[in-house]
Amino acid sequence: MRWDGFGAIESDMRALVADPRWSLLTPLGRAHAIAQRCLATPDGSHWLFGAHARWYRLDRVDGRWHLSAPPSHPVVREAARPHPARAPIPPHVVPAGPDFVFDRGSTQGFVGPDVPREITERVRALLLAHRGLSTDDYPLAGGPYEEVFAPDVTGAVAAVWGTVMWCAYAPAFDGNEVLLSMFGEFLARPLPGDDWVRWLPMGSLDALVGLYAERMAFGAHEAGLRLAGLMAETATILRADPRFRPRADALLGMVEPLLSRPWLDLHAVPSGTVRRAWLSRCPPHLAPATLPETSPGDHFRHSLYDLTEALTVTASRGWEPRTVAAALLAADVSGVCGATEPAWAPPGASATAQVVTWLYGWLDDELRQAFYLALSDPANPLRACWPRGGRLAPLLVPPDRATAAALLGAAYATGLAWCRLTGTPVPASGFPVASAAVQSLIHQRDDDPGPAPAPLRTVRDPEESGWLFETQNSDISPLPPL
């Protein structure tokens, strides 16, 4: 059996952190233990398997430990040898214990496969049970959901929708996805997307909390708690799909305590700190699911890590997934920033230069160099990784549907993460890499035909439902079944 330094150290660290004695060590003792298990590779890089059960690489320029997926090439992994770290190990790199048992779920997008029917039908039942509530008792209350839904839609419908969007790992949905189409009659305008995919923004915890907090501040405590209970019910249903599970579990950890102790947030309502109160209730082992809210930069790093893991197939084709991920990041930044300017960019400044400057600090020196070369040098070999004609480069073509769906989800999640970090508007037509990944999935049926579910209501007049019946002037044309 061949030696794999990264596999051996990972196994050793997992056993070490799982030992009950780990929690008894002082912070200095834990840092010393992890430092003794540092790996050195032939290129002079140093690696630690640390917090969140992920790898960190020592930046040779700034001397910091960066979250970074490990190399995949067998020769590099075999040549890695233990080499005690001399650089200080900061507290955020040292495993606390609970972070090692976090269930990361799946990075797949919702295009191949669809959300299972048993989930969609249970969500449909929630809408049927709560759609008739009064808008006076459950208003949208001026929040961002007013831009999504028609004026007569209640906060209860928005609570179900908001939970779905917040729990989704990467909200890129098949245009025919039942989980979205059941909301069609409630929407004020077409969802952003193209002929095959609805490219939706990441759900906002602020918006979700706002539905509940507005009712509590108004004195309608029963209505506020009912909305919180509806969010918990929706999250409980969604967690059966691994693409929803991590964030659904985190949301349940924040909301469920209210169902038995309804007074928990009363102290936070007057000061407007309900969101902070919710986040404080998230169990430690589920905290990574809230990184988009608590640390957008770390969330970007984890998303790029996921993208690197989704590119493992390129290792067998002679390419290092780490550098391929950096090249794909460059492709998306180039494609998006050429069409729009970040809100914070000074007048006349290059959007691409601004975003690159912002992202540099969140990449280790190796990824930073690959990112820069792919972005700045059209002749660089890394440009071979960029999509061409709306399709993936041959070296990236996935071998099966599951791999394609994972690449699609991870690429879209990474795009949303760097846009969130830099203040760049999310493109309504998707990111170049994720859009190209769709081409590997659109000709494969991913739904379960079965009997068509009954509509939530009968529409008698096409004018009544707006865009759903518009076939000539709609921004998005009717979609053929996959």
Side-chain angles (χ1 to χ4, degrees), residues 341-437:
E341 290 286 335
W344 46 262
S350 163
T352 302
Q354 293 285 341
V355 169
V356 168
T357 300
W358 197 281
L359 295 181
Y360 262 12
W362 297 98
L363 303 172
D364 68 59
D365 61 298
E366 186 177 77
L367 290 180
R368 198 181 304 133
Q369 178 73 358
F371 176 53
Y372 173 78
L373 290 174
L375 198 58
S376 63
D377 183 4
N380 192 278
L382 288 174
R383 283 289 182 98
C385 303
W386 285 24
R388 292 288 185 272
R391 294 184 175 275
L392 291 174
L395 69 96
L396 295 178
V397 175
D400 51 55
R401 187 179 73 171
T403 305
L407 175 57
L408 166 62
Y412 190 59
T414 302
L416 293 178
W418 69 256
C419 281
R420 186 179 190 128
L421 177 61
T422 62
T424 304
V426 175
S429 57
F431 297 90
V433 176
S435 297

Side-chain angles (χ1 to χ4, degrees), residues 423-445:
T424 304
V426 175
S429 57
F431 297 90
V433 176
S435 297
V438 171
Q439 302 302 314
S440 300
L441 292 162
I442 60 176
H443 299 300
Q444 303 182 40
R445 188 175 189 116

Side-chain angles (χ1 to χ4, degrees), residues 418-480:
W418 69 256
C419 281
R420 186 179 190 128
L421 177 61
T422 62
T424 304
V426 175
S429 57
F431 297 90
V433 176
S435 297
V438 171
Q439 302 302 314
S440 300
L441 292 162
I442 60 176
H443 299 300
Q444 303 182 40
R445 188 175 189 116
D446 58 4
D447 62 318
D448 174 17
L456 290 178
R457 66 170 174 162
T458 301
V459 178
R460 302 182 183 278
D461 181 358
E463 296 296 328
E464 185 182 354
S465 65
W467 68 272
L468 283 180
F469 284 83
E470 185 63 54
T471 59
Q472 299 299 322
N473 300 318
S474 173
D475 292 340
I476 301 179
S477 58
L479 306 183

Side-chain angles (χ1 to χ4, degrees), residues 173-177 180 191 193-198 467 470-471 475-482:
F173 288 88
D174 170 7
N176 295 310
E177 171 57 61
L180 295 189
L191 297 173
D194 52 34
D195 287 346
W196 294 103
V197 184
R198 299 294 181 256
W467 68 272
E470 185 63 54
T471 59
D475 292 340
I476 301 179
S477 58
L479 306 183
L482 295 184

Side-chain angles (χ1 to χ4, degrees), residues 255-332:
V255 174
E256 279 191 326
L258 289 170
L259 308 184
S260 58
R261 290 173 286 168
W263 60 85
L264 276 181
D265 290 336
L266 293 183
H267 72 285
V269 171
S271 59
T273 57
V274 177
R275 174 184 180 272
R276 184 186 305 169
W278 281 34
L279 288 170
S280 71
R281 289 197 295 268
C282 184
H285 72 283
L286 297 174
T290 66
L291 280 177
E293 281 72 37
T294 59
S295 178
D298 286 318
H299 173 60
F300 163 68
R301 282 173 168 164
H302 279 280
S303 299
L304 188 61
Y305 197 116
D306 290 341
L307 177 59
T308 304
E309 291 188 328
L311 292 166
T312 301
V313 66
T314 62
S316 62
R317 299 170 182 176
W319 290 77
E320 174 52 55
R322 282 170 45 78
T323 54
V324 174
L328 295 184
L329 174 63
D332 277 351

Side-chain angles (χ1 to χ4, degrees), residues 132-352:
L133 296 175
S134 166
T135 53
D136 291 334
D137 294 331
Y138 298 90
L140 293 182
Y145 295 125
E146 278 196 333
E147 300 176 6
V148 177
F149 295 109
D152 61 344
V153 174
T154 68
V157 171
V160 178
W161 168 271
T163 301
V164 171
M165 291 301 113
W166 192 81
C167 292
Y169 170 79
F173 288 88
D174 170 7
N176 295 310
E177 171 57 61
V178 175
L179 193 62
L180 295 189
S181 63
M182 72 174 68
F183 288 93
E185 67 181 83
F186 304 112
L187 299 176
R189 58 182 59 85
L191 297 173
D194 52 34
D195 287 346
W196 294 103
V197 184
R198 299 294 181 256
W199 304 103
L200 302 179
M202 179 174 286
S204 165
L205 184 63
D206 284 338
L208 204 54
V209 171
L211 291 171
Y212 159 82
E214 186 279 333
R215 291 288 79 197
M216 299 298 286
F218 188 74
H221 294 179
E222 183 177 345
L225 292 170
R226 188 169 184 180
L227 288 175
L230 185 54
M231 296 172 198
E233 286 186 77
T234 307
T236 299
I237 294 169
L238 294 174
R239 70 175 309 280
D241 188 318
R243 295 168 291 185
F244 291 112
R245 186 180 303 132
R247 289 168 70 82
D249 284 344
L251 185 61
L252 285 169
M254 293 185 276
V255 174
E256 279 191 326
L258 289 170
L259 308 184
S260 58
R261 290 173 286 168
W263 60 85
L264 276 181
D265 290 336
L266 293 183
H267 72 285
V269 171
S271 59
T273 57
V274 177
R275 174 184 180 272
R276 184 186 305 169
W278 281 34
L279 288 170
S280 71
R281 289 197 295 268
C282 184
H285 72 283
L286 297 174
T290 66
L291 280 177
E293 281 72 37
T294 59
S295 178
D298 286 318
H299 173 60
F300 163 68
R301 282 173 168 164
H302 279 280
S303 299
L304 188 61
Y305 197 116
D306 290 341
L307 177 59
T308 304
E309 291 188 328
L311 292 166
T312 301
V313 66
T314 62
S316 62
R317 299 170 182 176
W319 290 77
E320 174 52 55
R322 282 170 45 78
T323 54
V324 174
L328 295 184
L329 174 63
D332 277 351
V333 169
S334 176
V336 172
C337 293
T340 185
E341 290 286 335
W344 46 262
S350 163
T352 302

